[in-house]
Amino acid sequence: MNVYIFTSIGKRISSYPEDTLSEVFDRCKSLSNFYRQIIVHRLDNQILYTYLRKIDENSFLGLSVVLDGAIDDLRILWQSFEGCVTDFLNDGVLLSYTQSSGIVWTEHGILESQEEVNLKRHNLEILLKKRTKGHLRQIPPVDFSVSIDSIKQHSISDAIEDIIYSCHTFGYTVIVPESNEDAIRPNRYQTLIKKISDENSSLKEKNKKLLTKKKQLKIVSILAVVLLFAVVGICFLTDNLKSTKNALSNANDTIGFQRNDISQKSMRISNLQILNENLQSELRTEYDKRIEAENKLYEISDNIRRRQPFVITKTSFNFSTGYFSFDYYGMEEKYVRFVVCAFSEDGEYFYNNNYALYVYKGHHSHSVYFSSDLNRGKYYSFLIKERDDLNVVIGGGRH
């Protein structure tokens, strides 16, 4: 089983032919000789970074991103990719921990977990967009003198200039960590449960040895009594029986103490298991709440985006210069053509339809020249409408 989860910064990965990508990923898998590595392959004017995490002898988890240049800080990719793998493990999506702290595939494949996988791919894309900003270098034209199947290997500690040169020059560049050890560690609950399980196994083994010693002690005591009876005689029988009784009593006391200790440890294990189940239930509940809130936020944002290209938050008008200014919150980046209308209380009407604005996401401001003929002694109501659909009022204000 091999799973690849794609994301991209720039051109969508779907713009590349499926057979081309399949050939690239097969080639990347054949070059994977470590538990963790990043394999780099140039795609025209972009670079494909593929992180491969070995799960068992025959399968990998792959995380791939297409960037519009060569990244100058590989730690950004390592930390982002391995953080994503840890999220998969902690949430039990595709991957899970074994009792011995190993990593295996879950019973639910990628089709059953499609919604959770898409959410984590989306989160990874947002994180990489933020972290790679200002860290991408433009790559030179393709050097056709170098074979497209050429291979170059680097350690992550190598000079970044050498790595960047290899990434846009050679067909495939393999980047490996300084150590081949697994950097993904189990969470604290898995570690605690394993520790308690080991303690329980040790106590059971000790108890088994004590029971064996008890049986041996009984046999030795019986033989001692018989021998003493034969050698010393009936006159010493009472004292020897009393001594044997005391020895058995002490042994029984010792066994009783050990049994109480085992019982307490078993109770502790049971309590911790219940606590773990409760925490897992709370985690699932909080995850469901987060998904529900994100879906509601998306629906609200989508409704606003379909109706409003941007939201007016504040307006002002300078009667001296004739400039109309407004603050807005952009829902998406696009060009918007709009008109501005002004109405006075006594029926004066002013109109201008020659405005165009490239809307940026988030909070921004913009000013347009409207008219310097308005009477500052009057109040005017300003309306901003879409130029292509005058029934859509974007916003306005009274000044």
Side-chain angles (χ1 to χ4, degrees), residues 41 48 52 57 124 171 194 198 202 211 222 226 267 293 296 332 387 399:
H41 178 66
L48 172 68
L52 287 177
E57 291 300 324
L124 177 60
K194 181 179 183 300
D198 293 342
S202 177
L211 291 175
I222 293 173
V226 173
M267 183 66 70
K296 288 181 179 179
E332 60 180 344
R387 184 176 176 182
H399 303 287

Side-chain angles (χ1 to χ4, degrees), residues 152 154 158-168 170 173:
K152 182 71 172 179
H154 283 282
D158 291 349
I160 189 62
E161 297 297 336
D162 295 339
I163 296 177
I164 292 176
Y165 174 79
S166 297
C167 290
H168 63 66
F170 294 93
T173 302

Side-chain angles (χ1 to χ4, degrees), residues 194-210 258 261-262 265 269:
K194 181 179 183 300
K195 180 180 179 181
I196 294 174
S197 177
D198 293 342
E199 290 180 356
N200 188 36
S201 298
S202 177
L203 289 173
K204 287 182 179 179
E205 184 65 26
K206 289 182 179 179
N207 186 43
K208 182 178 179 181
K209 292 180 180 179
L210 287 173
Q258 294 293 337
D261 188 45
I262 292 173
K265 293 254 184 334
I269 293 173

Side-chain angles (χ1 to χ4, degrees), residues 42-95:
R42 179 168 183 167
L43 293 171
D44 297 330
N45 293 324
Q46 294 184 303
I47 293 184
L48 172 68
Y49 292 88
T50 299
Y51 171 88
L52 287 177
R53 173 62 171 79
K54 189 173 184 180
I55 305 303
D56 54 42
E57 291 300 324
N58 300 312
S59 64
F60 294 87
L61 172 68
L63 302 173
S64 298
V65 60
V66 176
L67 299 178
D68 288 328
I71 190 166
D72 62 8
D73 189 349
L74 288 171
R75 292 173 300 177
I76 294 174
L77 292 182
W78 278 107
Q79 294 169 0
S80 301
F81 284 141
E82 295 194 339
C84 184
V85 175
T86 301
D87 287 342
F88 274 99
L89 284 165
N90 290 339
D91 294 342
V93 179
L94 295 183
L95 302 175

Side-chain angles (χ1 to χ4, degrees), residues 108-148:
H108 300 291
I110 192 169
L111 293 180
E112 296 88 341
S113 307
Q114 191 66 53
E115 184 176 348
E116 293 89 344
V117 171
N118 286 338
L119 176 60
K120 295 191 182 300
R121 184 203 61 77
H122 179 67
N123 291 341
L124 177 60
E125 183 173 337
I126 293 175
L127 180 64
L128 287 174
K129 280 184 178 179
K130 178 180 179 181
R131 289 186 174 179
T132 59
K133 187 175 183 180
H135 288 280
L136 296 180
R137 298 190 186 181
Q138 185 176 3
I139 57 178
V142 177
D143 185 356
F144 292 101
S145 65
V146 180
S147 171
I148 60 173

Side-chain angles (χ1 to χ4, degrees), residues 5 19 54 60 83 105 118 136 146 158 175 206 228 232 265 281 303 328 341 363 371 395-396:
I5 299 170
D19 55 348
K54 189 173 184 180
F60 294 87
W105 298 106
N118 286 338
L136 296 180
V146 180
D158 291 349
I175 303 171
K206 289 182 179 179
L228 186 62
V232 180
K265 293 254 184 334
S281 177
N303 287 334
Y328 71 89
C341 305
H363 294 280
S371 175

Side-chain angles (χ1 to χ4, degrees), residues 80-333:
S80 301
F81 284 141
E82 295 194 339
C84 184
V85 175
T86 301
D87 287 342
F88 274 99
L89 284 165
N90 290 339
D91 294 342
V93 179
L94 295 183
L95 302 175
S96 65
Y97 292 108
T98 64
Q99 190 174 18
S100 60
S101 302
I103 299 176
V104 296
W105 298 106
T106 61
E107 295 180 358
H108 300 291
I110 192 169
L111 293 180
E112 296 88 341
S113 307
Q114 191 66 53
E115 184 176 348
E116 293 89 344
V117 171
N118 286 338
L119 176 60
K120 295 191 182 300
R121 184 203 61 77
H122 179 67
N123 291 341
L124 177 60
E125 183 173 337
I126 293 175
L127 180 64
L128 287 174
K129 280 184 178 179
K130 178 180 179 181
R131 289 186 174 179
T132 59
K133 187 175 183 180
H135 288 280
L136 296 180
R137 298 190 186 181
Q138 185 176 3
I139 57 178
V142 177
D143 185 356
F144 292 101
S145 65
V146 180
S147 171
I148 60 173
D149 290 326
S150 58
I151 301 170
K152 182 71 172 179
Q153 180 171 310
H154 283 282
S155 168
I156 193 173
S157 61
D158 291 349
I160 189 62
E161 297 297 336
D162 295 339
I163 296 177
I164 292 176
Y165 174 79
S166 297
C167 290
H168 63 66
T169 301
F170 294 93
Y172 293 87
T173 302
V174 181
I175 303 171
V176 300
E178 295 181 2
S179 171
N180 195 29
E181 296 180 357
D182 191 356
I184 307 299
R185 303 301 181 194
N187 61 41
R188 59 189 183 94
Y189 298 112
Q190 291 287 342
T191 304
L192 181 59
I193 290 173
K194 181 179 183 300
K195 180 180 179 181
I196 294 174
S197 177
D198 293 342
E199 290 180 356
N200 188 36
S201 298
S202 177
L203 289 173
K204 287 182 179 179
E205 184 65 26
K206 289 182 179 179
N207 186 43
K208 182 178 179 181
K209 292 180 180 179
L210 287 173
L211 291 175
T212 301
K213 288 182 179 180
K214 179 181 177 182
K215 291 180 181 179
Q216 293 174 348
L217 181 60
K218 286 183 178 180
I219 295 174
V220 172
S221 298
I222 293 173
L223 291 175
V225 170
V226 173
L227 181 61
L228 186 62
F229 180 79
V231 175
V232 180
I234 298 175
C235 61
F236 298 103
L237 179 60
T238 302
D239 292 337
N240 284 307
L241 288 174
K242 183 178 180 180
S243 176
T244 302
K245 182 179 179 181
N246 290 335
L248 288 173
S249 178
N250 292 334
N252 287 329
D253 290 342
T254 300
I255 293 172
F257 292 146
Q258 294 293 337
R259 285 177 175 173
N260 289 337
D261 188 45
I262 292 173
S263 177
Q264 292 175 2
K265 293 254 184 334
S266 298
M267 183 66 70
R268 182 185 174 194
I269 293 173
S270 177
N271 291 336
L272 287 173
Q273 289 175 338
I274 293 173
L275 175 60
N276 184 44
E277 291 174 358
N278 292 337
L279 290 173
Q280 292 289 347
S281 177
E282 291 177 6
L283 178 62
R284 287 192 294 271
T285 300
E286 292 300 321
Y287 176 76
D288 291 340
K289 289 180 180 179
R290 188 186 75 178
I291 293 297
E292 182 180 359
E294 288 178 348
N295 289 337
K296 288 181 179 179
L297 176 61
Y298 177 80
E299 290 177 1
I300 293 172
S301 299
D302 190 54
N303 287 334
I304 295 174
R305 184 166 51 249
R306 287 199 301 268
R307 178 64 182 172
Q308 298 286 111
F310 55 90
V311 178
I312 300 297
T313 59
K314 182 181 178 182
T315 64
S316 63
F317 181 74
N318 190 318
F319 285 89
S320 298
T321 63
Y323 272 87
F324 178 70
S325 303
F326 56 89
D327 296 340
Y328 71 89
Y329 182 86
M331 305 301 294
E332 60 180 344
E333 294 191 1

